[in-house]
PDB file of all heavy atoms in Angstrom:
ATOM      1  N   VAL Y 834      -0.036   7.887   1.250  1.00 98.00           N
ATOM      2  CA  VAL Y 834      -0.003   9.208   0.603  1.00 98.00           C
ATOM      3  C   VAL Y 834      -0.479  10.297   1.552  1.00 98.00           C
ATOM      4  O   VAL Y 834      -1.496  10.145   2.233  1.00 98.00           O
ATOM      5  CB  VAL Y 834      -0.918   9.191  -0.652  1.00 98.00           C
ATOM      6  CG1 VAL Y 834      -1.026  10.575  -1.262  1.00 98.00           C
ATOM      7  CG2 VAL Y 834      -0.387   8.204  -1.681  1.00 98.00           C
ATOM      8  N   ALA Y 835       0.254  11.415   1.571  1.00 98.00           N
ATOM      9  CA  ALA Y 835      -0.228  12.634   2.239  1.00 98.00           C
ATOM     10  C   ALA Y 835      -0.578  13.635   1.141  1.00 98.00           C
ATOM     11  O   ALA Y 835       0.161  13.763   0.157  1.00 98.00           O
ATOM     12  CB  ALA Y 835       0.855  13.217   3.136  1.00 98.00           C
ATOM     13  N   VAL Y 836      -1.714  14.316   1.281  1.00 98.00           N
ATOM     14  CA  VAL Y 836      -2.110  15.321   0.300  1.00 98.00           C
ATOM     15  C   VAL Y 836      -2.043  16.690   0.974  1.00 98.00           C
ATOM     16  O   VAL Y 836      -2.605  16.892   2.054  1.00 98.00           O
ATOM     17  CB  VAL Y 836      -3.530  15.049  -0.246  1.00 98.00           C
ATOM     18  CG1 VAL Y 836      -3.856  16.039  -1.349  1.00 98.00           C
ATOM     19  CG2 VAL Y 836      -3.637  13.618  -0.779  1.00 98.00           C
ATOM     20  N   LEU Y 837      -1.334  17.614   0.318  1.00 98.00           N
ATOM     21  CA  LEU Y 837      -1.163  18.965   0.853  1.00 98.00           C
ATOM     22  C   LEU Y 837      -1.994  19.942   0.025  1.00 98.00           C
ATOM     23  O   LEU Y 837      -1.943  19.911  -1.222  1.00 98.00           O
ATOM     24  CB  LEU Y 837       0.329  19.366   0.814  1.00 98.00           C
ATOM     25  CG  LEU Y 837       1.206  18.885   1.978  1.00 98.00           C
ATOM     26  CD1 LEU Y 837       1.001  17.445   2.355  1.00 98.00           C
ATOM     27  CD2 LEU Y 837       2.678  19.162   1.701  1.00 98.00           C
ATOM     28  N   VAL Y 838      -2.763  20.772   0.700  1.00 98.00           N
ATOM     29  CA  VAL Y 838      -3.762  21.610   0.026  1.00 98.00           C
ATOM     30  C   VAL Y 838      -3.777  23.014   0.628  1.00 98.00           C
ATOM     31  O   VAL Y 838      -3.371  23.209   1.777  1.00 98.00           O
ATOM     32  CB  VAL Y 838      -5.170  20.996   0.212  1.00 98.00           C
ATOM     33  CG1 VAL Y 838      -5.309  19.670  -0.518  1.00 98.00           C
ATOM     34  CG2 VAL Y 838      -5.495  20.806   1.689  1.00 98.00           C
ATOM     35  N   SER Y 839      -4.288  23.972  -0.155  1.00 97.00           N
ATOM     36  CA  SER Y 839      -4.455  25.329   0.385  1.00 97.00           C
ATOM     37  C   SER Y 839      -5.872  25.860   0.239  1.00 97.00           C
ATOM     38  O   SER Y 839      -6.225  26.842   0.874  1.00 97.00           O
ATOM     39  CB  SER Y 839      -3.512  26.314  -0.329  1.00 97.00           C
ATOM     40  OG  SER Y 839      -2.169  25.994  -0.085  1.00 97.00           O
ATOM     41  N   GLY Y 840      -6.655  25.256  -0.655  1.00 93.00           N
ATOM     42  CA  GLY Y 840      -7.930  25.899  -0.983  1.00 93.00           C
ATOM     43  C   GLY Y 840      -9.115  24.959  -1.017  1.00 93.00           C
ATOM     44  O   GLY Y 840      -9.353  24.161  -0.114  1.00 93.00           O
ATOM     45  N   GLY Y 841      -9.835  25.034  -2.145  1.00 95.00           N
ATOM     46  CA  GLY Y 841     -11.103  24.315  -2.276  1.00 95.00           C
ATOM     47  C   GLY Y 841     -10.969  22.801  -2.238  1.00 95.00           C
ATOM     48  O   GLY Y 841     -11.866  22.086  -1.800  1.00 95.00           O
ATOM     49  N   GLY Y 842      -9.849  22.314  -2.753  1.00 97.00           N
ATOM     50  CA  GLY Y 842      -9.595  20.880  -2.660  1.00 97.00           C
ATOM     51  C   GLY Y 842     -10.341  20.019  -3.659  1.00 97.00           C
ATOM     52  O   GLY Y 842     -10.623  18.856  -3.382  1.00 97.00           O
ATOM     53  N   THR Y 843     -10.626  20.559  -4.847  1.00 98.00           N
ATOM     54  CA  THR Y 843     -11.302  19.704  -5.833  1.00 98.00           C
ATOM     55  C   THR Y 843     -10.362  18.597  -6.322  1.00 98.00           C
ATOM     56  O   THR Y 843     -10.807  17.491  -6.627  1.00 98.00           O
ATOM     57  CB  THR Y 843     -11.849  20.500  -7.038  1.00 98.00           C
ATOM     58  OG1 THR Y 843     -10.766  21.088  -7.752  1.00 98.00           O
ATOM     59  CG2 THR Y 843     -12.825  21.574  -6.606  1.00 98.00           C
ATOM     60  N   ASN Y 844      -9.078  18.881  -6.385  1.00 98.00           N
ATOM     61  CA  ASN Y 844      -8.131  17.815  -6.759  1.00 98.00           C
ATOM     62  C   ASN Y 844      -8.041  16.763  -5.664  1.00 98.00           C
ATOM     63  O   ASN Y 844      -7.946  15.570  -5.951  1.00 98.00           O
ATOM     64  CB  ASN Y 844      -6.754  18.403  -7.077  1.00 98.00           C
ATOM     65  CG  ASN Y 844      -6.681  18.937  -8.493  1.00 98.00           C
ATOM     66  OD1 ASN Y 844      -6.623  18.171  -9.446  1.00 98.00           O
ATOM     67  ND2 ASN Y 844      -6.731  20.256  -8.629  1.00 98.00           N
ATOM     68  N   LEU Y 845      -8.058  17.209  -4.406  1.00 98.00           N
ATOM     69  CA  LEU Y 845      -8.096  16.252  -3.293  1.00 98.00           C
ATOM     70  C   LEU Y 845      -9.325  15.366  -3.443  1.00 98.00           C
ATOM     71  O   LEU Y 845      -9.245  14.144  -3.293  1.00 98.00           O
ATOM     72  CB  LEU Y 845      -8.150  17.005  -1.952  1.00 98.00           C
ATOM     73  CG  LEU Y 845      -8.486  16.137  -0.738  1.00 98.00           C
ATOM     74  CD1 LEU Y 845      -7.397  15.111  -0.464  1.00 98.00           C
ATOM     75  CD2 LEU Y 845      -8.736  17.004   0.501  1.00 98.00           C
ATOM     76  N   GLN Y 846     -10.472  15.986  -3.750  1.00 98.00           N
ATOM     77  CA  GLN Y 846     -11.716  15.224  -3.910  1.00 98.00           C
ATOM     78  C   GLN Y 846     -11.587  14.180  -5.020  1.00 98.00           C
ATOM     79  O   GLN Y 846     -12.041  13.040  -4.878  1.00 98.00           O
ATOM     80  CB  GLN Y 846     -12.882  16.173  -4.228  1.00 98.00           C
ATOM     81  CG  GLN Y 846     -14.230  15.500  -4.179  1.00 98.00           C
ATOM     82  CD  GLN Y 846     -14.624  15.072  -2.766  1.00 98.00           C
ATOM     83  OE1 GLN Y 846     -14.642  15.890  -1.856  1.00 98.00           O
ATOM     84  NE2 GLN Y 846     -14.917  13.799  -2.565  1.00 98.00           N
ATOM     85  N   ALA Y 847     -10.935  14.595  -6.122  1.00 98.00           N
ATOM     86  CA  ALA Y 847     -10.749  13.654  -7.238  1.00 98.00           C
ATOM     87  C   ALA Y 847      -9.904  12.461  -6.789  1.00 98.00           C
ATOM     88  O   ALA Y 847     -10.167  11.310  -7.186  1.00 98.00           O
ATOM     89  CB  ALA Y 847     -10.094  14.361  -8.423  1.00 98.00           C
ATOM     90  N   ILE Y 848      -8.914  12.712  -5.950  1.00 98.00           N
ATOM     91  CA  ILE Y 848      -8.060  11.617  -5.455  1.00 98.00           C
ATOM     92  C   ILE Y 848      -8.863  10.705  -4.522  1.00 98.00           C
ATOM     93  O   ILE Y 848      -8.823   9.480  -4.634  1.00 98.00           O
ATOM     94  CB  ILE Y 848      -6.810  12.172  -4.721  1.00 98.00           C
ATOM     95  CG1 ILE Y 848      -5.952  13.024  -5.656  1.00 98.00           C
ATOM     96  CG2 ILE Y 848      -5.990  11.024  -4.141  1.00 98.00           C
ATOM     97  CD1 ILE Y 848      -4.905  13.871  -4.923  1.00 98.00           C
ATOM     98  N   ILE Y 849      -9.610  11.337  -3.596  1.00 98.00           N
ATOM     99  CA  ILE Y 849     -10.422  10.549  -2.653  1.00 98.00           C
ATOM    100  C   ILE Y 849     -11.403   9.660  -3.424  1.00 98.00           C
ATOM    101  O   ILE Y 849     -11.513   8.461  -3.172  1.00 98.00           O
ATOM    102  CB  ILE Y 849     -11.204  11.486  -1.694  1.00 98.00           C
ATOM    103  CG1 ILE Y 849     -10.252  12.244  -0.763  1.00 98.00           C
ATOM    104  CG2 ILE Y 849     -12.224  10.691  -0.871  1.00 98.00           C
ATOM    105  CD1 ILE Y 849     -10.921  13.334   0.083  1.00 98.00           C
ATOM    106  N   ASP Y 850     -12.093  10.274  -4.400  1.00 98.00           N
ATOM    107  CA  ASP Y 850     -13.091   9.514  -5.176  1.00 98.00           C
ATOM    108  C   ASP Y 850     -12.420   8.358  -5.922  1.00 98.00           C
ATOM    109  O   ASP Y 850     -12.955   7.249  -5.973  1.00 98.00           O
ATOM    110  CB  ASP Y 850     -13.800  10.424  -6.190  1.00 98.00           C
ATOM    111  CG  ASP Y 850     -14.684  11.463  -5.504  1.00 98.00           C
ATOM    112  OD1 ASP Y 850     -14.934  11.326  -4.291  1.00 98.00           O
ATOM    113  OD2 ASP Y 850     -15.093  12.435  -6.180  1.00 98.00           O
ATOM    114  N   ALA Y 851     -11.248   8.639  -6.487  1.00 98.00           N
ATOM    115  CA  ALA Y 851     -10.564   7.607  -7.268  1.00 98.00           C
ATOM    116  C   ALA Y 851     -10.087   6.456  -6.379  1.00 98.00           C
ATOM    117  O   ALA Y 851     -10.098   5.296  -6.801  1.00 98.00           O
ATOM    118  CB  ALA Y 851      -9.390   8.224  -8.032  1.00 98.00           C
TER     119      ALA Y 851
END
Side-chain angles (χ1 to χ4, degrees):
V834 174
V836 185
L837 277 45
V838 293
S839 296
T843 64
N844 278 286
L845 168 65
Q846 190 68 55
I848 299 166
I849 293 172
D850 292 347

